[in-house]
Amino acid sequence: MASRMALRPHGVTPPLAAGRGGRRNGSVRVLAVASSASAKIESKKTFAPPKEVHVQVTHSMPPQKMEIFQSLDGWARDNLLLHLKPVEKCWQPQDFLPDPASDGFHDEVKELRERAKEIPDDYLVCLVGDMITEEALPTYQTMLNTLDGVRDETGASPTAWAVWTRAWTAEENRHGDLLNKYLYLTGRVDMRQIEKTIQYLIGSGMDPRTENNPYLGFIYTSFQERATFISHGNTARHAKDFGDLKLAQICGIIASDEKRHETAYTKIVEKLFEIDPDGTVLALADMMRKKIAMPAHLMFDGQDEKLFDHFSMVAQRLGVYTARDYADILEFLVGRWKVPELTGLSGEGHKAQDYLCTLAGRIRKLDERAQSRAKQAGKMPFSWVYGREVQM
């Protein structure tokens, strides 16, 4: 976070002028004026996000590889866009919510709230965290439009890459809308604190360390789409256990979208492995060495500086999204892209291949040690549930 510039060293009181009371009072008046001026300067201070990332690498893809993505526009049109659904065939949030135009609206809301009474706070924390992650969608579209060779250059570009990004965003937009409205109707969560968290998160952005590089960017999205598929699938399972079948249906339908999007993104990386196996395996190893940062890793609610870490600990304990899931996703993608079978690699490519093929096992061993430490974690208040304490 950017530090504030102090007008004087902290704890040092400016000396008052020596002499008679009149001069002393004059000094106090001058100090009061200076204090007022300081307050005005502070009030006009340029806005800065509470979570900032400073050291970043940009445009790391060699310029000659731009041609690869330009040449793949036709391939993308034939192989990506088919994973999008026509708007008229898509579900909409209202399909799963009480109809405000219906005479039975209030009864439906009452029934929803009755079901929600059985949902424990730790589950609500996970559901809210997932919803906030979905609501930061403007950041994710922005990230995709930083990628060299595939960005939407005009905001309405007709290239297949640009059409995909806009339509993917439009499909994803329904997820946050649906979860947000459902949670609002339950009356179980502090919506104002949640709305602040969303505003903070969008203002802070994200730092996936993809370097404007579509190799890195599409590896990241492949991993993330599978992670969200798993997370929403697990929240669906828990909702069913708590007796809220409507919420289970909501989380399940969102998970099915994430799965479809995962298929598209993994297909892009599969094509890159076909065209440029050495460059792609190096990119995959690079992303895994840096670790895949979750999209909401800069989450903040105005109170808890480590909010994302605390939310993640609750999700880990409940089995909504765990370090083991992280290892499983890596193992799945390494198999999906046939990394162990790659041939003709450079020396660096072979090293990357060996690293990737053994990494999932190492992550699982580290997770076993972390689990024993996690059992000693205490409770933490979450502003999302009115400051109630939740077990980490």
Coordinates of all heavy atoms in Angstrom, one line a residue, residues 267-352:
K267 N -8.4 -26.3 -24.6 CA -8.3 -26.6 -26.0 C -7.3 -25.7 -26.6 O -6.5 -26.1 -27.5 CB -9.6 -26.5 -26.7 CG -9.6 -27.1 -28.1 CD -11.0 -27.0 -28.7 CE -12.0 -28.0 -28.2 NZ -13.3 -28.0 -29.0
I268 N -7.3 -24.4 -26.2 CA -6.3 -23.4 -26.7 C -4.9 -23.9 -26.4 O -4.0 -23.9 -27.3 CB -6.5 -22.0 -26.1 CG1 -7.9 -21.5 -26.6 CG2 -5.4 -21.1 -26.6 CD1 -8.3 -20.2 -25.8
V269 N -4.7 -24.2 -25.1 CA -3.3 -24.6 -24.7 C -2.9 -25.9 -25.4 O -1.7 -26.1 -25.8 CB -3.2 -24.8 -23.2 CG1 -1.8 -25.2 -22.8 CG2 -3.6 -23.4 -22.5
E270 N -3.9 -26.8 -25.6 CA -3.6 -28.1 -26.3 C -3.1 -27.7 -27.7 O -2.1 -28.4 -28.2 CB -4.8 -28.9 -26.4 CG -4.7 -30.2 -27.1 CD -6.0 -31.0 -27.2 OE1 -7.0 -30.4 -27.5 OE2 -5.9 -32.3 -27.0
K271 N -3.7 -26.8 -28.4 CA -3.3 -26.3 -29.7 C -1.9 -25.7 -29.7 O -1.0 -26.0 -30.6 CB -4.2 -25.3 -30.3 CG -4.0 -24.9 -31.7 CD -4.2 -26.1 -32.7 CE -4.0 -25.7 -34.1 NZ -4.1 -26.9 -35.1
L272 N -1.6 -25.0 -28.6 CA -0.2 -24.4 -28.5 C 0.8 -25.5 -28.3 O 1.9 -25.4 -28.8 CB -0.2 -23.4 -27.3 CG -1.0 -22.1 -27.5 CD1 -1.0 -21.3 -26.2 CD2 -0.5 -21.3 -28.7
F273 N 0.5 -26.5 -27.6 CA 1.4 -27.7 -27.4 C 1.7 -28.3 -28.8 O 2.8 -28.8 -29.0 CB 0.9 -28.7 -26.4 CG 1.3 -28.5 -25.0 CD1 0.4 -28.1 -24.0 CD2 2.7 -28.7 -24.6 CE1 0.8 -27.9 -22.7 CE2 3.1 -28.5 -23.3 CZ 2.2 -28.0 -22.4
E274 N 0.6 -28.4 -29.6 CA 0.8 -29.0 -30.9 C 1.7 -28.1 -31.8 O 2.6 -28.7 -32.5 CB -0.6 -29.1 -31.6 CG -0.6 -29.7 -33.0 CD -2.0 -29.6 -33.6 OE1 -3.0 -29.8 -32.9 OE2 -2.1 -29.2 -34.8
I275 N 1.6 -26.8 -31.8 CA 2.3 -25.9 -32.6 C 3.7 -25.6 -32.1 O 4.7 -25.6 -32.8 CB 1.6 -24.6 -32.8 CG1 0.2 -24.8 -33.5 CG2 2.4 -23.6 -33.6 CD1 -0.6 -23.6 -33.5
D276 N 3.8 -25.4 -30.8 CA 5.1 -25.0 -30.1 C 5.2 -25.7 -28.8 O 5.1 -25.1 -27.7 CB 5.0 -23.5 -29.9 CG 6.2 -22.9 -29.3 OD1 7.3 -23.6 -29.3 OD2 6.2 -21.7 -28.9
P277 N 5.6 -27.0 -28.8 CA 5.6 -27.7 -27.6 C 6.7 -27.2 -26.6 O 6.5 -27.2 -25.4 CB 6.0 -29.2 -28.0 CG 6.5 -29.0 -29.4 CD 5.8 -27.8 -30.0
D278 N 7.8 -26.8 -27.1 CA 8.9 -26.3 -26.2 C 8.5 -25.0 -25.5 O 8.6 -24.9 -24.3 CB 10.2 -26.1 -27.0 CG 11.4 -26.2 -26.2 OD1 11.7 -27.3 -25.6 OD2 12.1 -25.1 -26.0
G279 N 8.0 -24.1 -26.3 CA 7.6 -22.8 -25.8 C 6.5 -23.0 -24.8 O 6.4 -22.3 -23.7
T280 N 5.5 -23.9 -25.0 CA 4.4 -24.1 -24.2 C 4.7 -24.8 -22.9 O 4.2 -24.4 -21.8 CB 3.3 -24.8 -24.9 OG1 3.0 -24.2 -26.2 CG2 2.0 -24.8 -24.1
V281 N 5.6 -25.8 -22.9 CA 6.0 -26.5 -21.7 C 6.8 -25.5 -20.8 O 6.7 -25.6 -19.6 CB 6.7 -27.8 -22.0 CG1 8.2 -27.5 -22.4 CG2 6.7 -28.7 -20.8
L282 N 7.6 -24.7 -21.4 CA 8.3 -23.7 -20.6 C 7.4 -22.7 -19.9 O 7.6 -22.3 -18.8 CB 9.3 -22.9 -21.5 CG 10.5 -23.8 -21.9 CD1 11.4 -23.0 -23.0 CD2 11.4 -24.1 -20.7
A283 N 6.3 -22.3 -20.7 CA 5.3 -21.4 -20.1 C 4.6 -22.0 -19.0 O 4.3 -21.4 -17.9 CB 4.4 -20.9 -21.2
L284 N 4.2 -23.3 -19.1 CA 3.5 -24.0 -18.1 C 4.3 -24.1 -16.8 O 3.9 -23.9 -15.7 CB 3.0 -25.4 -18.6 CG 2.3 -26.3 -17.6 CD1 1.1 -25.6 -17.0 CD2 1.9 -27.6 -18.2
A285 N 5.6 -24.5 -17.0 CA 6.5 -24.6 -15.9 C 6.7 -23.2 -15.2 O 6.7 -23.1 -13.9 CB 7.9 -25.1 -16.3
D286 N 6.8 -22.2 -16.0 CA 6.9 -20.8 -15.4 C 5.7 -20.5 -14.6 O 5.9 -20.0 -13.4 CB 7.1 -19.8 -16.6 CG 7.2 -18.4 -16.1 OD1 7.9 -18.2 -15.1 OD2 6.7 -17.5 -16.8
M287 N 4.5 -20.7 -15.1 CA 3.3 -20.4 -14.3 C 3.3 -21.2 -13.0 O 2.9 -20.7 -11.9 CB 2.1 -20.6 -15.1 CG 1.7 -19.6 -16.1 SD 1.6 -17.9 -15.5 CE 0.3 -18.0 -14.3
M288 N 3.7 -22.4 -13.0 CA 3.6 -23.3 -11.8 C 4.7 -22.9 -10.8 O 4.5 -23.0 -9.6 CB 3.7 -24.7 -12.2 CG 2.5 -25.2 -13.1 SD 0.9 -24.7 -12.6 CE 0.8 -25.3 -10.9
R289 N 5.8 -22.5 -11.3 CA 6.8 -22.0 -10.4 C 6.4 -20.7 -9.7 O 6.7 -20.5 -8.5 CB 8.2 -21.8 -11.1 CG 8.9 -23.0 -11.5 CD 10.3 -22.8 -12.0 NE 11.0 -24.0 -12.4 CZ 11.1 -24.4 -13.6 NH1 10.6 -23.7 -14.6 NH2 11.7 -25.5 -13.9
K290 N 5.7 -19.9 -10.4 CA 5.2 -18.6 -9.8 C 4.0 -18.9 -8.9 O 3.6 -18.1 -8.1 CB 4.8 -17.6 -10.9 CG 6.1 -17.1 -11.6 CD 5.7 -16.0 -12.6 CE 5.0 -16.5 -13.8 NZ 4.9 -15.5 -14.9
K291 N 3.4 -20.0 -9.1 CA 2.1 -20.5 -8.4 C 0.9 -19.7 -9.0 O 1.0 -18.5 -9.3 CB 2.2 -20.3 -6.9 CG 3.3 -21.1 -6.3 CD 3.3 -20.9 -4.8 CE 4.4 -21.8 -4.1 NZ 4.5 -21.6 -2.7
I292 N -0.1 -20.4 -9.2 CA -1.4 -19.8 -9.7 C -2.1 -19.0 -8.6 O -2.6 -19.6 -7.7 CB -2.3 -20.9 -10.3 CG1 -1.6 -21.7 -11.4 CG2 -3.6 -20.3 -10.8 CD1 -1.4 -21.0 -12.7
A293 N -2.1 -17.7 -8.8 CA -2.7 -16.9 -7.8 C -4.2 -16.9 -8.1 O -4.6 -16.7 -9.2 CB -2.2 -15.4 -7.8
M294 N -5.0 -17.0 -7.0 CA -6.5 -17.0 -7.2 C -6.9 -15.6 -7.6 O -6.3 -14.6 -7.2 CB -7.2 -17.4 -5.9 CG -6.9 -18.8 -5.5 SD -7.4 -20.1 -6.6 CE -5.8 -20.7 -7.3
P295 N -7.9 -15.5 -8.4 CA -8.3 -14.1 -9.0 C -8.6 -13.1 -7.9 O -8.4 -11.9 -8.1 CB -9.6 -14.4 -9.8 CG -9.5 -15.9 -10.1 CD -8.8 -16.5 -8.9
A296 N -9.1 -13.5 -6.7 CA -9.5 -12.6 -5.7 C -8.4 -12.4 -4.6 O -8.7 -12.1 -3.5 CB -10.8 -13.0 -5.1
H297 N -7.2 -12.7 -5.0 CA -6.1 -12.6 -4.0 C -5.9 -11.3 -3.3 O -5.2 -11.2 -2.3 CB -4.8 -13.2 -4.5 CG -4.2 -12.4 -5.6 ND1 -3.0 -11.7 -5.4 CD2 -4.6 -12.1 -6.9 CE1 -2.7 -11.1 -6.5 NE2 -3.6 -11.3 -7.4
L298 N -6.4 -10.2 -4.0 CA -6.2 -8.8 -3.4 C -7.5 -8.4 -2.6 O -7.8 -7.2 -2.4 CB -5.9 -7.8 -4.5 CG -4.6 -8.1 -5.3 CD1 -4.4 -7.0 -6.3 CD2 -3.4 -8.1 -4.3
M299 N -8.3 -9.4 -2.2 CA -9.6 -9.1 -1.5 C -9.4 -8.3 -0.2 O -8.4 -8.6 0.5 CB -10.2 -10.5 -1.2 CG -11.6 -10.5 -0.7 SD -12.1 -12.2 -0.3 CE -12.5 -12.8 -1.9
F300 N -10.3 -7.4 0.0 CA -10.2 -6.6 1.2 C -11.6 -6.0 1.5 O -12.3 -5.7 0.6 CB -9.2 -5.4 1.0 CG -9.0 -4.5 2.2 CD1 -8.6 -5.0 3.4 CD2 -9.2 -3.1 2.0 CE1 -8.4 -4.1 4.5 CE2 -9.0 -2.3 3.1 CZ -8.6 -2.8 4.3
D301 N -11.9 -5.9 2.8 CA -13.3 -5.5 3.2 C -13.2 -4.2 4.0 O -14.2 -3.7 4.5 CB -14.0 -6.5 4.0 CG -13.3 -6.8 5.3 OD1 -12.1 -6.4 5.5 OD2 -13.9 -7.5 6.2
G302 N -12.0 -3.5 4.0 CA -11.9 -2.3 4.8 C -11.5 -2.6 6.2 O -11.2 -1.6 7.0
Q303 N -11.4 -3.9 6.6 CA -11.0 -4.2 8.0 C -9.9 -5.2 8.0 O -8.9 -5.0 8.7 CB -12.3 -4.8 8.7 CG -13.4 -3.8 8.8 CD -14.7 -4.4 9.4 OE1 -14.6 -5.4 10.1 NE2 -15.8 -3.7 9.2
D304 N -10.1 -6.3 7.3 CA -9.1 -7.5 7.5 C -8.1 -7.4 6.4 O -8.4 -7.7 5.2 CB -10.0 -8.8 7.4 CG -9.1 -10.0 7.7 OD1 -7.9 -9.9 7.8 OD2 -9.7 -11.1 7.8
E305 N -6.9 -7.2 6.7 CA -5.8 -7.1 5.7 C -5.5 -8.4 5.1 O -4.9 -8.5 4.0 CB -4.5 -6.5 6.3 CG -4.6 -5.1 6.8 CD -4.5 -4.1 5.6 OE1 -4.2 -4.6 4.5 OE2 -4.8 -2.9 5.8
K306 N -5.8 -9.5 5.8 CA -5.6 -10.9 5.3 C -6.8 -11.6 5.0 O -6.9 -12.8 5.2 CB -4.7 -11.6 6.3 CG -3.3 -11.0 6.6 CD -2.5 -11.9 7.5 CE -1.1 -11.3 7.7 NZ -0.3 -12.1 8.6
L307 N -7.8 -10.9 4.5 CA -9.2 -11.5 4.3 C -9.1 -12.7 3.3 O -9.7 -13.7 3.6 CB -10.1 -10.4 3.7 CG -11.5 -10.8 3.4 CD1 -12.2 -11.4 4.6 CD2 -12.3 -9.6 2.8
F308 N -8.4 -12.5 2.2 CA -8.3 -13.7 1.3 C -7.7 -14.9 2.0 O -8.2 -16.0 1.8 CB -7.5 -13.3 0.0 CG -7.5 -14.5 -0.9 CD1 -8.6 -14.8 -1.7 CD2 -6.4 -15.3 -1.0 CE1 -8.5 -15.8 -2.6 CE2 -6.3 -16.3 -1.9 CZ -7.4 -16.6 -2.7
D309 N -6.7 -14.7 2.7 CA -6.0 -15.9 3.4 C -7.0 -16.5 4.4 O -7.1 -17.8 4.5 CB -4.8 -15.4 4.2 CG -3.7 -15.0 3.3 OD1 -3.7 -15.4 2.1 OD2 -2.8 -14.3 3.7
H310 N -7.8 -15.7 5.1 CA -8.7 -16.3 6.1 C -9.9 -17.0 5.4 O -10.3 -18.0 5.8 CB -9.2 -15.1 7.0 CG -8.1 -14.6 7.8 ND1 -8.1 -13.2 8.2 CD2 -7.0 -15.1 8.3 CE1 -7.0 -13.0 8.9 NE2 -6.3 -14.1 9.0
F311 N -10.4 -16.4 4.3 CA -11.4 -17.0 3.5 C -10.9 -18.3 3.0 O -11.6 -19.4 3.0 CB -11.9 -16.1 2.4 CG -12.4 -16.7 1.1 CD1 -13.6 -17.5 1.2 CD2 -11.7 -16.6 -0.1 CE1 -14.1 -18.1 0.0 CE2 -12.2 -17.2 -1.2 CZ -13.4 -18.0 -1.2
S312 N -9.7 -18.4 2.5 CA -9.1 -19.6 1.9 C -9.0 -20.7 3.0 O -9.2 -21.9 2.7 CB -7.8 -19.3 1.3 OG -7.9 -18.4 0.2
M313 N -8.6 -20.3 4.2 CA -8.5 -21.3 5.3 C -9.9 -21.9 5.6 O -9.9 -23.1 5.8 CB -7.9 -20.6 6.5 CG -6.5 -20.2 6.3 SD -5.9 -19.2 7.7 CE -5.8 -20.5 9.0
V314 N -10.9 -21.1 5.6 CA -12.2 -21.7 5.8 C -12.6 -22.7 4.7 O -13.1 -23.8 4.9 CB -13.3 -20.6 5.9 CG1 -14.7 -21.2 6.1 CG2 -13.0 -19.7 7.1
A315 N -12.4 -22.2 3.4 CA -12.7 -23.1 2.3 C -11.9 -24.4 2.3 O -12.4 -25.4 1.9 CB -12.4 -22.3 1.0
Q316 N -10.6 -24.3 2.7 CA -9.8 -25.5 2.9 C -10.3 -26.4 3.9 O -10.5 -27.6 3.7 CB -8.3 -25.1 3.3 CG -7.4 -26.2 3.7 CD -6.7 -26.9 2.6 OE1 -6.5 -26.3 1.5 NE2 -6.3 -28.1 2.8
R317 N -10.7 -25.9 5.1 CA -11.2 -26.8 6.1 C -12.5 -27.4 5.7 O -12.7 -28.6 6.0 CB -11.5 -25.9 7.4 CG -12.0 -26.8 8.6 CD -12.1 -25.9 9.8 NE -13.1 -24.9 9.7 CZ -14.4 -25.0 9.8 NH1 -14.9 -26.2 10.0 NH2 -15.2 -24.0 9.7
L318 N -13.4 -26.7 5.0 CA -14.7 -27.3 4.6 C -14.6 -28.2 3.4 O -15.5 -28.9 3.1 CB -15.7 -26.2 4.3 CG -16.3 -25.4 5.5 CD1 -17.4 -24.5 5.0 CD2 -16.8 -26.3 6.5
G319 N -13.4 -28.2 2.7 CA -13.3 -29.0 1.5 C -13.9 -28.3 0.3 O -14.2 -29.0 -0.7
V320 N -14.1 -27.0 0.3 CA -14.7 -26.3 -0.8 C -13.6 -26.2 -1.9 O -13.9 -26.4 -3.1 CB -15.3 -25.0 -0.4 CG1 -15.7 -24.1 -1.6 CG2 -16.6 -25.2 0.4
Y321 N -12.5 -25.7 -1.5 CA -11.3 -25.7 -2.4 C -10.1 -25.8 -1.6 O -9.8 -25.0 -0.6 CB -11.3 -24.4 -3.2 CG -10.2 -24.3 -4.2 CD1 -10.2 -25.1 -5.4 CD2 -9.0 -23.6 -4.0 CE1 -9.2 -25.1 -6.3 CE2 -8.0 -23.6 -4.9 CZ -8.0 -24.4 -6.1 OH -7.0 -24.4 -7.0
T322 N -9.2 -26.8 -1.9 CA -8.1 -27.2 -1.1 C -6.8 -27.2 -1.8 O -6.8 -27.2 -3.1 CB -8.4 -28.5 -0.4 OG1 -8.3 -29.6 -1.5 CG2 -9.7 -28.6 0.3
A323 N -5.7 -27.3 -1.1 CA -4.4 -27.5 -1.7 C -4.4 -28.8 -2.5 O -3.7 -28.9 -3.5 CB -3.3 -27.5 -0.7
R324 N -5.1 -29.8 -2.0 CA -5.2 -31.1 -2.8 C -5.9 -30.9 -4.1 O -5.5 -31.5 -5.1 CB -5.9 -32.1 -1.9 CG -5.9 -33.5 -2.6 CD -6.3 -34.6 -1.5 NE -5.2 -34.8 -0.6 CZ -4.1 -35.6 -0.9 NH1 -4.1 -36.3 -2.0 NH2 -3.2 -35.8 0.0
D325 N -6.9 -30.1 -4.1 CA -7.6 -29.7 -5.4 C -6.6 -29.1 -6.3 O -6.6 -29.4 -7.5 CB -8.7 -28.8 -5.1 CG -9.9 -29.5 -4.4 OD1 -10.1 -30.7 -4.7 OD2 -10.6 -28.8 -3.6
Y326 N -5.7 -28.2 -5.8 CA -4.7 -27.5 -6.6 C -3.8 -28.5 -7.3 O -3.5 -28.5 -8.5 CB -3.9 -26.6 -5.7 CG -2.9 -25.7 -6.4 CD1 -3.2 -24.4 -6.8 CD2 -1.6 -26.2 -6.7 CE1 -2.3 -23.6 -7.4 CE2 -0.7 -25.3 -7.3 CZ -1.0 -24.0 -7.6 OH 0.0 -23.2 -8.2
A327 N -3.3 -29.5 -6.5 CA -2.5 -30.6 -7.0 C -3.2 -31.4 -8.0 O -2.7 -31.8 -9.1 CB -1.9 -31.4 -5.9
D328 N -4.5 -31.7 -7.8 CA -5.3 -32.5 -8.7 C -5.5 -31.8 -10.0 O -5.5 -32.5 -11.1 CB -6.7 -32.9 -8.1 CG -6.6 -33.8 -6.9 OD1 -5.5 -34.5 -6.8 OD2 -7.5 -34.0 -6.2
I329 N -5.7 -30.5 -10.0 CA -5.9 -29.7 -11.2 C -4.6 -29.8 -12.0 O -4.6 -30.0 -13.3 CB -6.3 -28.3 -10.9 CG1 -7.7 -28.2 -10.3 CG2 -6.2 -27.4 -12.2 CD1 -8.0 -26.8 -9.7
L330 N -3.5 -29.6 -11.4 CA -2.2 -29.6 -12.1 C -2.0 -31.0 -12.8 O -1.7 -31.1 -13.9 CB -1.0 -29.3 -11.2 CG 0.4 -29.6 -11.7 CD1 0.6 -28.8 -13.0 CD2 1.4 -29.4 -10.6
E331 N -2.3 -32.1 -12.0 CA -2.1 -33.4 -12.5 C -3.1 -33.7 -13.7 O -2.7 -34.3 -14.7 CB -2.4 -34.4 -11.4 CG -2.0 -35.9 -11.7 CD -2.1 -36.7 -10.5 OE1 -3.2 -37.0 -10.0 OE2 -1.0 -37.2 -10.0
F332 N -4.3 -33.2 -13.6 CA -5.3 -33.3 -14.7 C -4.8 -32.6 -15.9 O -4.8 -33.2 -17.0 CB -6.6 -32.7 -14.2 CG -7.6 -32.6 -15.3 CD1 -8.4 -33.7 -15.7 CD2 -7.8 -31.5 -16.1 CE1 -9.3 -33.7 -16.7 CE2 -8.7 -31.4 -17.1 CZ -9.4 -32.5 -17.4
L333 N -4.3 -31.4 -15.8 CA -3.9 -30.6 -17.0 C -2.6 -31.2 -17.6 O -2.5 -31.3 -18.8 CB -3.6 -29.2 -16.6 CG -4.9 -28.4 -16.2 CD1 -4.5 -27.0 -15.7 CD2 -5.9 -28.3 -17.3
V334 N -1.7 -31.7 -16.8 CA -0.5 -32.3 -17.3 C -0.9 -33.5 -18.1 O -0.3 -33.8 -19.2 CB 0.5 -32.7 -16.1 CG1 1.6 -33.7 -16.6 CG2 1.2 -31.4 -15.6
G335 N -1.8 -34.3 -17.6 CA -2.3 -35.4 -18.4 C -3.1 -35.0 -19.6 O -3.0 -35.6 -20.7
R336 N -4.0 -34.0 -19.5 CA -4.8 -33.5 -20.6 C -4.0 -33.1 -21.8 O -4.3 -33.3 -22.9 CB -5.7 -32.4 -20.1 CG -6.4 -31.6 -21.1 CD -7.7 -32.3 -21.6 NE -8.5 -31.4 -22.5 CZ -8.2 -31.1 -23.7 NH1 -7.2 -31.6 -24.3 NH2 -9.0 -30.3 -24.4
W337 N -2.9 -32.4 -21.4 CA -2.0 -31.9 -22.5 C -0.8 -32.8 -22.8 O 0.1 -32.4 -23.6 CB -1.4 -30.5 -22.0 CG -2.5 -29.5 -21.9 CD1 -3.6 -29.3 -22.7 CD2 -2.6 -28.4 -20.9 NE1 -4.4 -28.2 -22.3 CE2 -3.8 -27.7 -21.2 CE3 -1.8 -28.0 -19.9 CZ2 -4.1 -26.5 -20.4 CZ3 -2.1 -26.9 -19.1 CH2 -3.3 -26.2 -19.4
K338 N -0.9 -34.0 -22.3 CA 0.1 -35.1 -22.6 C 1.5 -34.6 -22.4 O 2.4 -34.9 -23.2 CB -0.1 -35.6 -24.1 CG -1.5 -36.2 -24.3 CD -1.6 -36.7 -25.7 CE -2.9 -37.5 -26.0 NZ -4.1 -36.7 -25.7
V339 N 1.8 -33.9 -21.3 CA 3.1 -33.4 -21.1 C 4.2 -34.5 -20.9 O 5.3 -34.3 -21.5 CB 3.1 -32.5 -19.8 CG1 4.5 -32.0 -19.4 CG2 2.2 -31.2 -20.0
P340 N 3.9 -35.6 -20.3 CA 4.9 -36.7 -20.2 C 5.3 -37.2 -21.5 O 6.4 -37.8 -21.6 CB 4.2 -37.7 -19.3 CG 3.1 -37.0 -18.5 CD 2.6 -35.9 -19.5
E341 N 4.4 -37.1 -22.5 CA 4.7 -37.7 -23.8 C 5.4 -36.8 -24.8 O 5.7 -37.2 -25.9 CB 3.4 -38.2 -24.4 CG 2.6 -39.2 -23.5 CD 1.2 -39.4 -24.0 OE1 0.9 -39.3 -25.2 OE2 0.3 -39.7 -23.1
L342 N 5.7 -35.6 -24.4 CA 6.3 -34.6 -25.3 C 7.7 -35.1 -25.7 O 8.5 -35.6 -24.9 CB 6.4 -33.2 -24.7 CG 5.1 -32.5 -24.3 CD1 5.4 -31.2 -23.6 CD2 4.3 -32.2 -25.6
T343 N 8.0 -34.9 -27.0 CA 9.3 -35.3 -27.5 C 9.9 -34.1 -28.3 O 9.2 -33.1 -28.6 CB 9.3 -36.5 -28.4 OG1 8.4 -36.2 -29.5 CG2 8.8 -37.7 -27.7
G344 N 11.2 -34.2 -28.6 CA 11.9 -33.1 -29.3 C 12.1 -31.8 -28.6 O 12.2 -30.8 -29.3
L345 N 12.1 -31.9 -27.3 CA 12.2 -30.6 -26.5 C 13.7 -30.2 -26.4 O 14.6 -31.1 -26.5 CB 11.6 -30.8 -25.1 CG 10.2 -31.2 -25.0 CD1 9.8 -31.5 -23.6 CD2 9.3 -30.1 -25.6
S346 N 13.9 -28.9 -26.1 CA 15.2 -28.5 -25.8 C 15.7 -28.9 -24.4 O 14.9 -29.5 -23.7 CB 15.3 -26.9 -25.8 OG 14.4 -26.4 -24.8
G347 N 16.9 -28.6 -24.1 CA 17.4 -29.0 -22.7 C 16.5 -28.4 -21.6 O 16.1 -29.0 -20.7
E348 N 16.2 -27.1 -21.8 CA 15.3 -26.4 -20.8 C 13.9 -27.0 -20.9 O 13.3 -27.1 -19.8 CB 15.3 -24.9 -21.2 CG 16.6 -24.2 -20.8 CD 17.0 -24.3 -19.4 OE1 16.1 -24.0 -18.5 OE2 18.1 -24.6 -19.1
G349 N 13.5 -27.4 -22.0 CA 12.2 -28.0 -22.2 C 12.1 -29.3 -21.4 O 11.1 -29.6 -20.7
H350 N 13.1 -30.1 -21.5 CA 13.2 -31.4 -20.8 C 13.1 -31.1 -19.3 O 12.5 -31.9 -18.5 CB 14.4 -32.2 -21.2 CG 14.2 -33.0 -22.4 ND1 13.3 -34.0 -22.5 CD2 14.9 -32.9 -23.6 CE1 13.3 -34.5 -23.7 NE2 14.3 -33.9 -24.4
K351 N 13.9 -30.1 -18.8 CA 13.9 -29.8 -17.4 C 12.5 -29.4 -16.9 O 12.0 -29.8 -15.8 CB 14.9 -28.7 -17.1 CG 16.3 -29.1 -17.2 CD 17.2 -27.9 -16.9 CE 18.7 -28.3 -17.2 NZ 19.6 -27.1 -16.9
A352 N 11.8 -28.6 -17.7 CA 10.5 -28.2 -17.4 C 9.5 -29.3 -17.4 O 8.6 -29.5 -16.5 CB 10.0 -27.1 -18.4

